Amino acid sequence: MIAQPTPQEYLDDMHAIGIPRLFQSYIDARERAAGIRRARQELGRLRTELTQHRDNLGGSNGALSPEEIRRMSSPLNLLLLLHEQLLGEVNDLEHSLSNGKPLPYSFRFGQHIFGDEGAGEWYIGSQEQFEEWGRIQQFKRRLDALRLQGQPIREQLGTIRTDLEALSEKHQKTQQKIDRRSTRIFVMRRLGMLVILMAASGAVGIHYFNSFRNFSLVAFGLAGACALLIPIVIANWKDPRTRLNSRRRKLESEMRDLQTEGNQYHQRYQPLELQIKALEVHYNRMMDSWESARLVKQRLDSFIEEAQPLRERVNEIKSELAGLRQQRDKLQRKLDWRQKRGAFFRRMLLHVMLVVACGALGFYLHYTGQVDYASVTYGLGAFFILLVPLAYIDWKNRDMKLESRLRQVETRMRQLQTEGKQVMKRYHPLELQVKTLIAQYKRLRAGIQNLPESEALA
């Protein structure tokens, strides 16, 4: 299997093309033109190789998930972004030369491509940035080592916290039962049930004393048992030594043991936790100060979020205007056709021809002796004669309706155009800012920096 080039080798090939050299003023026109042609050829070759390499990742690693393929293709996508920026620089140079404009400022781009393979974050930067990234990664490895060191204690603390929450819930339920049991209504409800059962049993025993003596004696025995249970219930209610209290004390003891164990683990983990938090703050500050493209991306996202409602409204206005234009053109074509010379007279001629045809047919039927059919035909002719003024009125009303609908459509179009202009006054500056930030973000992500005039002329 042929080994694919590494991202750094692709970047070295881009440097070997020598595109920044084409912007130097000391190069003659013939050499610059040849360099531009060569740069286009080499960039085309590199784009083909990069695209094939990226597309082959999915085929050669079919067992990988889409997220893993995305992380693996991140450096290739970044190189394709750099390729796009370099091709744009070559196009700008050629455009300036063809229009007789001054040469654009020269630029440079990073010599190293580096990043975090696990996170799929890649950057192109200079030697200083590459070394600084190495220091940041070394710092991150130290932070990860501390996190790994504290992972067992964190897991143990999490287990203790879960167990403590479960015991607290059980303790709370037990305490609620104890509180309900200690109320007066708790014992009064039970005493009331015993009194009711005793009275009912005594009444049954008295009722069946003469007729069913054995059953009566059982009822009297039940009443006596209820009477004996009354003081027992009262004594049990006043006795604090119950199973609920015993269970509560056991739960409290277990909770104290867990709290003691948790405090011991926390005392061991607290210094490590403070060290991890301090390192995380320092690491985030290092990343914030180093990754300038992220700040541009944040500004870009804020402008995009602000412009999104305006963009949606502009699209809605455009789509509605397109529908209104079609409706207006359709109405205008109808009016133009109806207002053509002879259009109305052709309509009237049709009615006259129908009247003449009915009259001729009626005369023929009357001549042949078919009087009934002739009467019907003459009636149709009279009906068509009456339709002539009605057709004229309908023609005029139809013109008025079409003109009214046309005016309504044109009024709505003018309203939308006025609203569209107002929206565009707010949206256009945001759109320009978004485009500027997108271009700036792409150049920063690709590691391209414009050289100062002093360095460009050196």
Side-chain angles (χ1 to χ4, degrees):
M1 182 177 178
I2 301 175
Q4 293 285 355
T6 62
Q8 184 61 48
E9 290 174 346
Y10 283 122
L11 183 60
D12 294 339
D13 288 344
M14 291 183 183
H15 277 282
I17 298 174
I19 295 177
R21 181 175 173 274
L22 301 177
F23 290 78
Q24 302 297 329
S25 58
Y26 57 82
I27 301 177
D28 58 16
R30 181 177 299 179
E31 185 179 358
R32 183 176 285 111
I36 290 175
R37 288 194 299 270
R38 177 178 172 274
R40 287 187 179 279
Q41 294 174 357
E42 293 296 323
L43 286 175
R45 177 186 63 81
L46 282 174
R47 179 172 179 80
T48 302
E49 293 181 3
L50 283 168
T51 304
Q52 291 179 351
H53 189 176
R54 183 189 61 182
D55 295 341
N56 289 336
L57 290 176
S60 60
N61 298 282
L64 298 179
S65 65
E67 179 64 24
E68 291 173 336
I69 295 176
R70 185 195 65 81
R71 289 199 300 267
M72 293 177 62
S73 60
S74 294
L76 302 179
N77 290 329
L78 183 58
L79 289 171
L80 285 172
L81 177 61
L82 174 60
H83 174 277
E84 176 188 344
Q85 298 300 311
L86 293 177
L87 185 59
E89 295 290 343
V90 173
N91 292 334
D92 292 342
L93 175 61
E94 190 174 23
H95 181 72
S96 299
L97 293 176
S98 61
N99 293 333
K101 295 181 179 179
L103 290 175
Y105 284 133
S106 182
F107 65 94
R108 63 187 174 193
F109 57 97
Q111 298 89 5
H112 298 276
I113 178 169
F114 48 89
D116 188 352
E117 295 183 4
E121 298 177 354
W122 288 82
Y123 309 94
I124 295 176
S126 61
Q127 179 67 31
E128 292 78 9
Q129 290 175 324
F130 177 66
E131 294 174 356
E132 184 178 0
W133 175 259
R135 291 191 294 270
I136 292 176
Q137 292 305 302
Q138 184 179 2
F139 191 87
K140 184 175 182 295
R141 285 191 293 270
R142 180 186 172 192
L143 179 59
D144 292 339
L146 288 176
R147 289 172 177 168
L148 184 62
Q149 180 182 352
Q151 182 66 26
I153 302 179
R154 282 198 302 271
E155 293 177 355
Q156 190 65 32
L157 283 173
T159 304
I160 292 175
R161 189 178 296 109
T162 304
D163 295 342
L164 190 60
E165 289 176 356
L167 289 176
S168 298
E169 185 176 358
K170 291 181 181 179
H171 180 269
Q172 184 178 2
K173 291 181 179 179
T174 304
Q175 186 63 45
Q176 289 175 355
K177 291 181 180 180
I178 293 174
D179 294 340
R180 286 197 301 269
R181 190 180 183 280
S182 61
T183 57
R184 187 177 296 275
I185 192 173
F186 177 84
V187 67
M188 294 302 296
R189 188 182 296 116
R190 281 156 177 74
L191 292 177
M193 292 175 60
L194 290 174
V195 170
I196 293 172
L197 184 59
M198 183 178 64
S201 301
V204 170
I206 294 172
H207 179 73
Y208 289 102
F209 185 76
N210 295 323
S211 59
F212 197 179
R213 186 174 296 272
N214 292 333
F215 181 72
S216 175
L217 293 175
V218 172
F220 284 136
L222 180 61
C226 291
L228 292 175
L229 285 177
I230 290 177
I232 296 175
V233 169
I234 295 175
N236 185 52
W237 176 63
K238 293 183 176 182
D239 187 8
R241 296 173 298 175
T242 60
R243 284 180 297 176
L244 287 176
N245 283 324
S246 177
R247 186 188 306 171
R248 182 187 63 180
R249 289 191 294 270
K250 183 179 179 181
L251 289 173
E252 290 175 350
S253 176
E254 292 178 358
M255 289 173 63
R256 284 193 298 269
D257 294 340
L258 279 178
Q259 288 174 349
T260 303
E261 185 179 0
N263 291 332
Q264 293 175 356
Y265 277 107
H266 187 69
Q267 289 177 359
R268 292 169 52 192
Y269 179 67
Q270 187 176 16
L272 189 61
E273 182 183 20
L274 295 176
Q275 190 176 3
I276 289 175
K277 288 182 178 180
L279 290 178
E280 285 178 347
V281 172
H282 187 53
Y283 174 74
N284 292 330
R285 287 177 180 174
M286 291 173 67
M287 290 297 295
D288 291 342
S289 62
W290 185 82
E291 190 183 357
S292 57
R294 187 184 61 82
L295 302 178
V296 176
K297 184 66 166 56
Q298 289 179 354
R299 292 182 58 200
L300 176 60
D301 292 340
S302 64
F303 277 108
I304 290 176
E305 184 179 0
E306 183 179 356
Q308 183 65 27
L310 299 177
R311 185 186 300 110
E312 292 176 355
R313 183 55 187 159
V314 168
N315 294 332
E316 291 174 359
I317 291 174
K318 287 181 178 178
S319 61
E320 189 174 354
L321 275 176
L324 289 175
R325 287 193 185 96
Q326 294 179 357
Q327 188 176 357
R328 181 195 62 183
D329 295 340
K330 186 177 180 180
L331 292 172
Q332 190 64 50
R333 285 194 299 269
K334 287 184 179 180
L335 280 173
D336 293 342
W337 180 84
R338 294 174 67 87
Q339 293 175 0
K340 285 182 179 178
R341 187 175 182 180
F344 176 72
F345 292 102
R346 285 195 298 269
R347 178 77 174 271
M348 293 299 102
L349 181 61
L350 176 63
H351 287 277
V352 172
M353 290 177 64
L354 289 173
V355 171
V356 172
C358 290
L361 182 61
F363 178 77
Y364 173 76
L365 293 174
H366 189 273
Y367 179 75
T368 58
Q370 300 179 13
V371 179
D372 294 336
Y373 292 107
S375 299
V376 173
T377 308
Y378 285 141
L380 288 174
F383 176 72
F384 286 127
I385 290 174
L386 293 175
L387 282 182
V388 172
L390 294 178
Y392 174 78
I393 295 173
D394 178 67
W395 184 276
K396 293 299 182 182
N397 288 337
R398 181 62 176 168
D399 284 345
M400 294 174 62
K401 289 181 180 179
L402 289 175
E403 290 176 354
S404 176
R405 288 178 59 190
L406 181 62
R407 287 193 298 270
Q408 291 177 0
V409 170
E410 291 176 344
T411 301
R412 179 57 182 166
M413 289 179 65
R414 286 193 294 270
Q415 292 175 353
L416 287 175
Q417 288 171 351
T418 302
E419 183 183 359
K421 290 178 181 178
Q422 295 174 353
V423 174
M424 284 302 297
K425 286 181 180 179
R426 299 164 53 196
Y427 174 67
H428 187 62
L430 293 175
E431 184 182 23
L432 293 178
Q433 190 70 24
V434 167
K435 291 181 179 179
T436 303
L437 289 175
I438 288 175
Q440 183 182 358
Y441 176 70
K442 286 183 176 180
R443 290 178 66 85
L444 287 173
R445 286 289 293 133
I448 295 179
Q449 296 178 353
N450 287 334
L451 291 177
E453 186 175 359
S454 58
E455 294 186 23
L457 294 177

